Amino acid sequence: MSRRALLAIATTLLMCLGAWPVSSPRVAAQAGRARPNVLVIMADDLNVDMAAFGHPIVQTPNIDRLASRGVRFERAYAQYAYCNPSRASYMTGLRPDTTRVYDLTTHFREAVPDAVTLPQLFMNAGYYAARVGKIYHYSNPGGIGTNGLDDAPSWNTVVNPRGIDKDEESKLTFAGPSRALGSSLSYYASPAPDAQHTDGLVASEVVAMLERHRHRPFFIAAGFYRPHCPYIAPKKYFDMYPDLARMPTHEYSPLLLQQSPTASRGVSWNIPDGEQREVIRAYYASITFMDAQVGRVLDALDRLNLADSTIVVFMSDHGYHTGDHGGLWMKQGLLERSVRTPVIVAGRGVTARGQSSGRIVELLDLYPTIADLAGLTPPARIEGRSLRPLLANPKAEWPHGAMSQTLRRVTLPGARAGGAAGNQAPSPSVQGYALRTERWRYIEWDEGRLGQELYDALSDPGELRNLAGEAFYANAVTGLKEQLARMRQPRAK
């Protein structure tokens, strides 16, 4: 028997056994398109009220456009109001007490080396997985252009853009107290066009990836750097907010601080009104600049006919204070503005398009939600819940609260310093936990030993009156404390 005949027989046997690729590349590509793509878009340090939630001044037409195609979650909460712990949590589907990530330097695989991250789950299912920009943590702006605390097993491809904004840092104007650049209130109206900035480069790289990989199932994550400080954006976005008189300012409130436990107070900046307005204007400009880059990515989805076949998620890593609560700025707290974050889920599998949900959800829920919409089974150990019922009916029953936490150093009364009893000395960091329900925010510091807070979200949405010490609310405090304790227990597998 000839060699060609033997090869023909072997080919026939392999085809019968299913071990031979009987489909052409074109047929395989068409079959692959039946699986939904995933596009995750992340902003950094975005205040929820300023993104697709009806802010009277801030212009976000492209985030608004995405919201019209999906469900926006008006009450979504980060598990930690700090970049690395939050990002490690929602990318693994595990709470910070499971990942043991509480700072900006610990990698989650130190505590959970076998974690299967969200993009890794898709890679294991045959997807092309890639990120551009900041998805896992690295310092902003110091780590721009580097891998930072990235997770190599999560991706097939990574791109770390570095734009002209890195070269413009010497031109910044600073407001408030002197702080490291990544936690400063600093800004610059750049003459450079969008495309030369780091976020412009992120958008360009993501568009190029969509074009290259549109014929195969993909999981692409676009990590934008704005509106995180320093607030550097093209000047045209600053020019969109010329009326400084409309920029809000917040008065210092000693009474508010007296009502709050010591651990909850954070650092008040006491910035003069004029400087506050300039900073807030720069923050608004940074948001609108970031929104324009989101628009470029959404335009590419439309142009490539990918919008209907792609699950699109927009989010930020946590919330952001802008001078409220006696001069609080940025994050690292447990109040509403620090932990509440924008979340929009749109595209493939979302039926309640253009609607909003007031249910209490967590960033932790995004992992199982995206997996559910794509028909993938997440690891049994993940601690979130699929939001799929709310994507069909945003008002569906959802009897769950949201838990957030943070570490904070405080001074304990009666601690010893220099051997003298009765003096005060810095204590080790203590944990604070917050529970958000549809009516209440309950906060406790060091199991309640360093203080408790209770705010009525219905009558006091600004969280200005702490009810925890009032006898009338004792039963509410007890019930919420018990509910929080249950949530802190690892979920049964």
Side-chain angles (χ1 to χ4, degrees):
M1 187 177 293
S2 70
R3 183 176 179 181
R4 178 174 295 181
L6 289 172
L7 180 59
I9 293 172
T11 300
T12 301
L13 289 172
L14 285 170
M15 292 175 65
C16 291
L17 293 172
W20 192 265
V22 296
S23 299
S24 69
R26 180 179 298 275
V27 172
Q30 291 172 346
R33 276 205 300 270
R35 306 167 71 184
N37 304 308
V38 178
L39 173 65
V40 175
I41 304 172
M42 295 187 191
D44 199 355
D45 281 13
L46 179 58
N47 181 297
V48 66
D49 294 320
M50 302 174 188
F53 289 87
H55 194 275
I57 302 175
V58 182
Q59 301 177 45
T60 56
N62 297 292
I63 299 173
D64 295 344
R65 174 171 37 137
L66 181 63
S68 71
R69 300 178 178 181
V71 174
R72 55 181 186 166
F73 289 90
E74 297 181 350
R75 295 289 181 267
Y77 296 91
Q79 276 44 78
Y80 208 111
Y82 209 24
C83 290
N84 190 30
S86 177
R87 290 167 183 263
S89 175
Y90 59 68
M91 291 295 285
T92 60
L94 304 172
R95 295 193 182 277
D97 279 343
T98 303
T99 64
R100 313 302 295 175
V101 176
Y102 307 118
D103 56 30
L104 299 183
T105 59
T106 302
H107 198 284
F108 65 86
R109 291 205 184 270
E110 295 178 23
V112 283
D114 60 342
V116 177
T117 67
L118 178 59
Q120 195 175 3
L121 178 73
F122 280 81
M123 281 181 61
N124 293 344
Y127 277 66
Y128 170 76
R131 74 153 176 87
V132 182
K134 182 177 179 180
I135 300 299
Y136 294 102
H137 175 70
Y138 51 81
S139 62
N140 187 359
I144 288 177
T146 75
N147 268 328
L149 282 179
D150 193 35
D151 181 59
S154 293
W155 316 107
N156 298 113
T157 304
V158 300
V159 181
N160 299 307
R162 182 191 186 281
I164 196 169
D165 42 294
K166 283 296 297 173
D167 301 320
E168 295 175 325
E169 291 171 1
S170 63
K171 302 176 182 180
L172 289 164
T173 297
F174 289 81
S178 177
R179 295 173 67 97
L181 187 56
S183 59
S184 66
L185 296 180
S186 55
Y187 55 92
Y188 177 63
S190 170
D194 292 26
Q196 293 182 19
H197 287 254
T198 303
D199 274 358
L201 296 174
V202 170
S204 296
E205 291 284 355
V206 171
V207 169
M209 279 184 179
L210 293 173
E211 291 171 342
R212 287 195 301 269
H213 300 283
R214 65 185 183 275
H215 295 305
R216 61 183 296 193
F218 60 75
F219 182 110
I220 294 176
F224 291 108
Y225 298 81
R226 297 292 174 256
H228 193 291
C229 65
Y231 312 126
I232 299 176
K235 183 178 180 297
K236 66 181 180 181
Y237 296 103
F238 282 76
D239 293 342
M240 295 172 70
Y241 303 100
D243 187 359
L244 288 181
R246 296 187 67 198
M247 302 296 119
T249 61
H250 301 277
E251 294 182 359
Y252 182 72
S253 176
L255 176 61
L256 173 66
L257 298 185
Q258 290 171 10
Q259 293 175 338
S260 301
T262 301
S264 183
R265 294 178 187 174
V267 178
S268 296
W269 292 44
N270 295 324
I271 301 172
D273 282 2
E275 291 187 23
Q276 282 194 53
R277 289 191 171 97
E278 290 286 1
V279 169
I280 292 173
R281 177 196 188 197
Y283 185 63
Y284 289 0
S286 297
I287 291 172
T288 303
F289 165 55
M290 178 272 297
D291 175 85
Q293 310 320 306
V294 172
R296 294 175 57 202
V297 174
L298 297 182
D299 288 345
L301 275 184
D302 292 341
R303 175 171 54 82
L304 298 170
N305 296 317
L306 293 170
D308 291 335
S309 60
T310 303
I311 303 161
V312 184
V313 176
F314 176 84
M315 60 185 296
S316 184
D317 47 358
H318 43 66
Y320 205 73
H321 289 286
T322 54
D324 52 283
H325 284 82
L328 295 182
W329 289 85
M330 303 189 181
K331 59 257 187 177
Q332 291 180 260
L334 291 175
L335 296 172
E336 184 86 353
R337 289 178 71 93
S338 194
V339 294
R340 181 172 163 238
T341 183
V343 169
I344 299 169
V345 182
R348 179 79 170 265
V350 180
T351 56
R353 299 190 176 189
Q355 299 185 42
S356 63
S357 176
R359 297 302 188 222
I360 305 298
V361 304
E362 303 179 286
L363 291 188
L364 200 67
D365 298 328
L366 291 176
Y367 187 135
T369 300
I370 298 170
D372 189 4
L373 292 175
L376 301 183
T377 302
R381 71 182 300 182
I382 68 167
E383 298 171 283
R385 298 175 176 86
S386 173
L387 301 174
R388 190 166 192 162
L390 298 177
L391 298 176
N393 177 10
K395 294 180 174 59
E397 188 71 18
W398 189 261
H400 308 295
M403 184 174 73
S404 307
Q405 64 187 96
T406 194
L407 276 175
R408 182 161 290 170
R409 293 186 66 88
V410 297
T411 300
L412 295 174
R416 293 180 178 271
N423 292 335
Q424 294 184 340
S427 76
S429 296
V430 297
Q431 283 278 9
Y433 289 86
L435 170 64
R436 180 62 157 87
T437 67
E438 293 201 0
R439 178 171 181 182
W440 304 105
R441 173 171 297 282
Y442 168 72
I443 302 173
E444 63 180 31
W445 299 93
D446 193 26
E447 312 287 347
R449 290 183 289 270
L450 292 181
Q452 296 171 299
E453 298 170 69
L454 178 68
Y455 302 101
D456 188 334
L458 299 181
S459 63
D460 179 26
E463 299 177 333
L464 300 176
R465 180 186 174 192
N466 180 10
L467 305 172
E470 300 185 20
F472 182 80
Y473 298 97
N475 288 339
V477 169
T478 298
L480 291 163
K481 182 178 180 64
E482 292 173 352
Q483 183 178 349
L484 179 61
R486 290 192 296 272
M487 290 189 70
R488 289 180 57 185
Q489 298 298 316
R491 185 179 299 176
K493 302 299 186 287

